[in-house]
Amino acid sequence: MVRFGLLTKRDKVLLALIVAFLVLLDLAFIWGPTIASFILSLTNWNGIGAITARSFVGLKNYVTLFTSYLFFKPALLHNLIYLGVLAFVATPLGIFFAVLLDRELAGTRIYQTIFYLPVVLPLVVVGFIWELQYAPTDGFINNALGLVKSNHIIDWLGDPRINLFAVLIAASWRHVGYIMVLYLAGLKSVDPTLREAARLDGANAWQTFFRVVFPVMMPINVVIAVITTIESLRAFDIAYIINRGKNGLELLSTLIVNNSISEANLIGFGSAIAVVLLVISLVPIVTFLVTMDRRIE
């Protein structure tokens, strides 16, 4: 280990420049926009002209958001449903596939490629693909189920009672492959002697995974939990591609866009929604990380 006192003056200057550069990047791309969003959330600025003292309206945007904005509660509920499906359906399914593929089955590489293929596609492309699959008369799903011939066509994306779940299937299709690859990489790093010791102690495959492998994979589990939470709260692309996040597909992220850069130009109000989404995102992630950090210690 190199002691800081052994560094030359040139080394110290170089380290200081590197740290300063990283701090500037952090301020420019993370803290700067965050602080700007909070300041804008206290205004009624519409994006035209300068922000003056008369633009500041205090907490009025937040009061409107929580008391009279009709789309806030449905959007928040949809984000929670999104989180629930990804956390309790898609993520366990991805872990299950990873455990299966870790057994070196015949054609493992082919299965990995198939499951991972949706991950390399942009979410916009995923949205287009599933929009074609869900098309009422020409889509694959209604035709495969025979609903077109029987004239019982289901409008998967147009019906506000079911379109959120149709979108969740598309999102899960991509999320499963993502989790599978992450977890499979973690499984490859587990010391095989642990499994062998568990097997000699009489543990079956189920007990070996949940009592030996899963605790050892705790750092990967933390990463996956954080990624799943972030993916569900920043969900945007697929819902926006389908119907711009309206008619049953309201999400907090689509509300931000629809209020800020659409014809409404309510940048102050959209910024208030963004701040609320930031707080909602930070609460579970920070709580979970602190809890896991204490357990690891």
Side-chain angles (χ1 to χ4, degrees):
M1 181 177 178
V2 179
R3 294 176 58 185
F4 188 74
L6 298 178
L7 298 177
T8 64
K9 185 177 180 180
R10 183 180 177 183
D11 294 334
K12 293 178 181 178
V13 171
L14 181 60
L15 285 174
L17 289 174
I18 293 173
V19 172
F21 178 69
L22 295 176
V23 171
L24 284 176
L25 287 179
D26 188 54
L27 290 174
F29 294 107
I30 297 178
W31 288 106
T34 302
I35 295 172
S37 294
F38 178 70
I39 294 174
L40 287 173
S41 72
L42 303 176
T43 72
N44 60 1
W45 192 51
N46 62 2
I48 300 175
I51 299 176
T52 63
R54 298 182 61 182
S55 302
F56 285 88
V57 295
L59 299 176
K60 182 180 177 181
N61 288 328
Y62 292 97
V63 174
T64 303
L65 180 63
F66 289 117
T67 59
S68 59
Y69 188 54
L70 297 178
F71 298 115
F72 177 67
K73 289 183 180 178
L76 181 60
L77 177 62
H78 294 165
N79 271 105
L80 293 176
I81 294 174
Y82 221 100
L83 174 60
V85 172
L86 290 191
F88 298 109
V89 179
T91 296
L93 198 57
I95 293 175
F96 175 70
F97 285 143
V99 172
L100 284 182
L101 295 178
D102 187 48
R103 293 173 175 269
E104 299 296 340
L105 302 173
T108 294
R109 296 291 182 188
I110 297 175
Y111 294 132
Q112 288 181 28
T113 303
I114 292 172
F115 287 128
Y116 190 69
L117 185 60
V119 182
V120 302
L121 298 175
L123 280 170
V124 175
V125 176
V126 173
F128 279 123
I129 291 174
W130 282 92
E131 195 173 17
L132 294 174
Q133 305 305 314
Y134 284 128
T137 55
D138 300 326
F140 171 76
I141 296 177
N142 275 344
N143 282 285
L145 295 176
L147 299 177
V148 176
K149 288 184 178 179
S150 62
N151 201 25
H152 291 89
I153 296 174
I154 297 176
D155 190 356
W156 297 97
L157 300 178
D159 189 338
R161 296 170 299 178
I162 60 173
N163 56 5
L164 178 64
F165 297 98
V167 167
L168 281 169
I169 290 175
S172 298
W173 178 62
R174 184 177 184 275
H175 190 73
V176 166
Y178 191 22
I179 298 302
M180 182 210 71
V181 170
L182 285 177
Y183 216 80
L184 186 59
L187 288 172
K188 297 295 183 186
S189 65
V190 175
D191 188 349
T193 59
L194 294 175
R195 291 190 176 106
E196 183 63 22
R199 191 183 65 81
L200 292 176
D201 288 340
N204 56 32
W206 182 270
Q207 293 169 328
T208 301
F209 176 74
F210 281 103
R211 295 183 181 180
V212 178
V213 177
F214 194 77
V216 171
M217 296 273 290
M218 192 54 70
I220 301 296
N221 296 334
V222 172
V223 171
I224 287 177
V226 172
I227 288 175
T228 301
T229 305
I230 293 173
E231 287 285 321
S232 60
L233 293 176
R234 75 180 184 91
F236 171 78
D237 309 63
I238 300 176
Y240 198 77
I241 285 294
I242 291 172
N243 65 0
R244 296 184 179 275
K246 299 176 182 176
N247 191 33
L249 289 182
E250 293 85 1
L251 297 169
L252 292 177
S253 56
T254 60
L255 293 186
I256 295 171
V257 174
N258 289 336
N259 280 284
S260 300
I261 61 176
S262 65
E263 64 275 4
N265 274 349
L266 301 175
I267 294 179
F269 188 67
S271 298
I273 302 174
V275 172
V276 171
L277 178 58
L278 174 65
V279 173
I280 293 174
S281 303
L282 287 177
V283 169
I285 292 173
V286 172
T287 303
F288 188 76
L289 289 177
V290 170
T291 304
M292 296 310 300
D293 188 52
R294 288 176 179 171
R295 287 186 181 181
I296 291 173
E297 288 179 353

